[in-house]
Amino acid sequence: MDLGLRGKVAVVTGGSRGIGLATAECLVREGATVVVAARRQEHLDAAAERLGVDAVQADVTRLEDLDRLAREVQERHGGADILVNNAGTGTYKPFLEVSDDDLVHGMAINFFAQFRLTQRIVPQMIARGGGVVINVSGRTAVRTAFPPGSTCTGPAKAAEVRFSADLAEELKPHGVRVVCIVPGVVMTPDRFAKWEREAHGRDLEGGEAARIRAELERAKLPAGAQWGTPEQLADVIAFTASERASYLSGESIIVDG
């Protein structure tokens, strides 16, 4: 299916690995001009070389980096038509072990980053006649206690859901759609390792980690189902970004098997 994205300019944060990298690759296949942003330069360089995309090093928790990212998109490409706010992470600790730094960072890298970058990119979309903002949340926004230790992450992810709904109404007169994608557990090694380390207070041995993942899979997924893949989420995001989804705005789409 041709999604009609040829010639569109898309910005993907957290675009060097996982869902972000798969999304960038999918958008490139559809003919979009893609700018990936990520914090770690070595991963960003690898993504840019692999996909042939533009790349901007940016930490989404830093205002100066967000300003520079928006400015470089404008200068290099004349602005953006699509923004995929994918950068984010979770803190998977028991409630009484969550530090104030964990709490502040959790809001900054998830909700605040989406809010702030969208403020900087939306004027470009309006000037170009419209666009699409896709905020990637997580199922801790709507499903409690999975993964365990989500009291810090869940509220930040839930804020992304509400932000998307409110923003869609406000930007409707400007021809800008806003959609929130809510992934279930996606098999990205870095995220699993982070959850295992924080939830158990230590690094797990390979066999132990595999056993715990299998137990969670049996307990939380329908019979025969498996964890999602970045590519499955990327397909949904790319469709949502296209005119094929022009009747979709303000909604949160749960993609969790």
Side-chain angles (χ1 to χ4, degrees):
M1 179 186 291
D2 182 0
L3 295 179
L5 295 176
R6 193 165 303 279
K8 299 292 186 181
V9 177
V11 178
V12 182
T13 66
S16 65
R17 293 187 294 178
I19 294 172
L21 179 62
T23 298
E25 185 170 19
C26 190
L27 293 172
V28 167
R29 285 200 306 269
E30 291 293 331
T33 297
V34 179
V35 180
V36 295
R39 183 163 51 94
R40 294 185 176 90
Q41 189 69 56
E42 65 273 21
H43 297 145
L44 192 61
D45 291 342
E49 182 176 356
R50 170 180 161 183
L51 302 181
V53 297
D54 198 358
V56 178
Q57 190 280 329
D59 180 341
V60 296
T61 66
R62 295 170 58 88
L63 291 177
E64 56 269 35
D65 283 15
L66 297 180
D67 288 336
R68 179 169 47 79
L69 172 57
R71 184 172 63 250
E72 294 195 20
V73 170
Q74 180 66 48
E75 292 174 352
R76 297 180 190 181
H77 304 287
D81 305 292
I82 300 163
L83 171 61
V84 182
N85 279 313
N86 169 71
T89 191
T91 297
Y92 310 107
K93 294 182 179 180
F95 170 66
L96 295 178
E97 295 178 16
V98 175
S99 69
D100 196 64
D101 285 344
D102 291 332
L103 185 62
V104 171
H105 180 69
M107 291 300 291
I109 198 169
N110 293 296
F111 170 55
F112 291 169
Q114 292 191 357
F115 191 106
R116 289 164 169 166
L117 183 56
T118 303
Q119 270 191 327
R120 288 157 172 78
I121 295 294
V122 160
Q124 299 177 7
M125 293 181 176
I126 294 173
R128 292 166 69 89
V132 186
V133 177
I134 300 171
N135 295 321
V136 180
S137 181
R139 83 181 206 165
T140 52
V142 294
R143 306 276 176 88
T144 59
F146 187 71
S150 296
T151 55
C152 179
T153 301
K157 296 296 188 182
E160 296 168 353
V161 170
R162 177 55 187 267
F163 167 58
S164 301
D166 284 341
L167 188 64
E169 287 298 314
E170 187 166 333
L171 296 183
K172 190 179 297 182
H174 300 289
V176 176
R177 294 190 296 114
V178 185
V179 179
C180 188
I181 303 297
V182 183
V185 180
V186 175
M187 181 54 80
T188 53
D190 291 342
R191 177 62 64 87
F192 264 90
K194 188 176 191 298
W195 169 72
E196 290 159 355
R197 183 171 59 253
E198 293 182 353
H200 296 85
R202 59 184 173 83
D203 290 324
L204 303 183
E205 300 292 336
E208 185 181 13
R211 177 181 56 78
I212 290 172
R213 293 177 192 182
E215 290 173 355
L216 283 171
E217 194 169 271
R218 285 194 297 271
K220 294 296 183 179
L221 294 179
Q226 296 179 321
W227 304 125
T229 67
E231 291 74 20
Q232 288 171 320
L233 270 296
D235 286 340
V236 176
I237 292 169
F239 172 76
T240 303
S242 76
E243 284 301 305
R244 300 274 184 168
S246 60
Y247 199 40
L248 177 66
S249 189
E251 295 300 323
S252 293
I253 302 173
I254 299 174
V255 188
D256 71 347

